[in-house]
Amino acid sequence: MLNKEMLSEMTKLGVRPALFERGTGNMWTEPYIANQMLSAHLDQGTDAASRREEMIEKTIAFINKRIAKGSTVLDLGCGPGLYTERLCESGHSVTGIDFSENSINYARGSAERKGLEIDYVCKNFFDMEYDGCYDVAMQIYGEIGTFSDKDRDKILSLIKRALKPGGIFIFDVPVPSKVHEASKVEKNWYVGTKGFWRPEAHLVLEERVYYENNIKVDQFIVVDDKEVVTYRNWFHDYTKETIEPVVLAAGFSKVQVTDNLFEEKDKNDPEWITVVAYNTRK
């Protein structure tokens, strides 16, 4: 039975969070959930954590058309190496960086089994210190859109610094949904005996909260017999008109935006746009 302390904590956590306020838990580093996340990355039946193999292959084809063979490539948030391995097999020299020890360990093991020489770094990419090392940097599946404006600008600055003169940064972001009401809240709850969040009985209160400027958060309050923990996934959707000035303000010399990351013909009403940002040549 819930005690007064738990009910008080749930009430406090259920208040509309401030923009990009972090939760009290971390799904990327907590051992049980980290294993669940790894399974989701590798699951070919869903796009929940990573895109499925068909879309990954199309993304690699998109990238390979725009970079020279033998390029030095930095994959930010590389996860279990789904893109890094394919890029290495395409003839590039690849570094993957991710702060999930679970994902990096899997990626290293997979590369070793396949005989691929890939440099994997277990580190928060906000702490990276590369200076003019890479021809290409990439961050795929909308991670730029999970950052506050301040963190977004910081990572763009770090990426620009990591690139060689004339290097490029390729990333994608989701576009705003047709229905986005700043005052809107969607809620759901369920009880599980074992699931994504916990290996034992637990209660999940989940909600999506919308904000102005095409920002939203998915919040999950997880309650078990020991504690109340909240997890938050923030999303900032962009259009061509809103992402271009942000990238140019970070010092990139040119920006190209396309809605055709997967090289699909007759694609209507795209949910994503892809950005290719060019570093200034000396």
Side-chain angles (χ1 to χ4, degrees):
M1 181 177 293
L2 293 175
N3 57 40
K4 289 184 178 180
E5 184 177 344
M6 282 186 165
L7 285 171
S8 175
E9 184 69 10
M10 289 168 64
T11 301
K12 181 175 68 175
L13 293 174
V15 175
R16 183 183 181 93
L19 277 175
F20 291 95
E21 181 181 356
R22 295 180 180 177
T24 58
N26 190 320
M27 67 180 69
W28 304 102
T29 58
E30 294 177 24
Y32 175 77
I33 304 179
N35 281 326
Q36 297 291 96
M37 287 298 300
L38 178 58
S39 295
H41 276 297
L42 301 174
D43 186 352
Q44 285 297 299
T46 176
D47 292 325
S50 291
R51 292 189 174 109
R52 279 169 274 199
E53 187 172 322
E54 178 186 3
M55 296 296 102
I56 293 174
E57 294 287 358
K58 290 181 177 181
T59 301
I60 295 299
F62 176 95
I63 294 171
N64 278 334
K65 285 182 180 180
R66 287 156 179 81
I67 67 177
K69 190 169 184 178
S71 293
T72 51
V73 182
L74 175 64
D75 184 1
L76 298 156
C78 65
L82 302 179
Y83 294 87
T84 49
E85 288 190 356
R86 289 168 169 83
L87 287 166
C88 181
E89 290 168 344
S90 298
H92 306 298
S93 176
V94 189
T95 298
I97 181 170
D98 200 296
F99 76 160
S100 170
E101 185 176 359
N102 210 37
S103 290
I104 288 293
N105 286 341
Y106 177 91
R108 285 172 175 160
S110 179
E112 183 176 353
R113 289 191 297 272
K114 296 176 181 178
L116 300 175
E117 293 187 10
I118 301 172
D119 181 22
Y120 283 114
V121 180
C122 188
K123 189 174 188 178
N124 189 326
F125 47 63
F126 281 96
D127 297 326
M128 66 181 182
E129 298 178 339
Y130 301 116
D131 194 350
C133 299
Y134 295 96
D135 300 306
V136 183
M138 55 181 279
Q139 195 169 55
I140 300 299
Y141 215 6
E143 195 157 8
I144 283 285
T146 66
F147 304 140
S148 67
D149 289 359
K150 179 179 178 181
D151 283 345
R152 176 203 64 202
D153 294 345
K154 178 180 179 180
I155 194 63
L156 286 173
S157 176
L158 290 172
I159 292 167
K160 184 179 182 301
R161 178 182 174 187
L163 289 171
K164 298 176 182 178
I168 63 172
F169 174 39
I170 301 174
F171 66 98
D172 61 352
V173 287
V175 301
S177 59
K178 291 182 177 178
V179 178
H180 188 111
E181 302 175 20
S183 60
K184 186 177 179 182
V185 178
E186 300 171 358
K187 296 192 177 188
N188 184 33
W189 69 273
Y190 61 89
V191 176
T193 54
K194 181 178 181 180
F196 178 83
W197 299 105
R198 294 291 184 270
E200 67 280 321
H202 60 285
L203 167 69
V204 180
L205 308 173
E206 64 178 51
E207 61 181 347
R208 169 167 285 188
V209 185
Y210 293 83
Y211 297 75
E212 294 180 349
N213 299 320
N214 295 309
I215 297 171
K216 56 183 176 286
V217 64
D218 286 341
Q219 175 169 267
F220 305 87
I221 299 174
V222 181
V223 186
D224 58 28
D225 61 352
K226 305 179 190 67
E227 59 184 350
V228 179
V229 183
T230 184
Y231 304 88
R232 295 187 181 119
N233 291 327
W234 288 93
F235 306 95
H236 186 175
D237 298 340
Y238 291 90
T239 64
K240 179 178 185 292
E241 290 73 25
T242 57
I243 196 63
E244 276 189 346
V246 167
V247 177
L248 291 172
F252 288 89
S253 58
K254 185 175 69 171
V255 179
Q256 292 179 341
V257 180
T258 177
D259 59 15
N260 208 12
L261 175 64
F262 308 127
E263 303 289 350
E264 295 178 359
K265 296 179 180 179
D266 303 322
K267 183 173 176 62
N268 297 316
D269 192 25
E271 298 178 355
W272 296 82
I273 54 177
T274 304
V275 181
V276 181
Y278 295 81
N279 193 22
T280 306
R281 291 184 182 273
K282 289 185 178 178

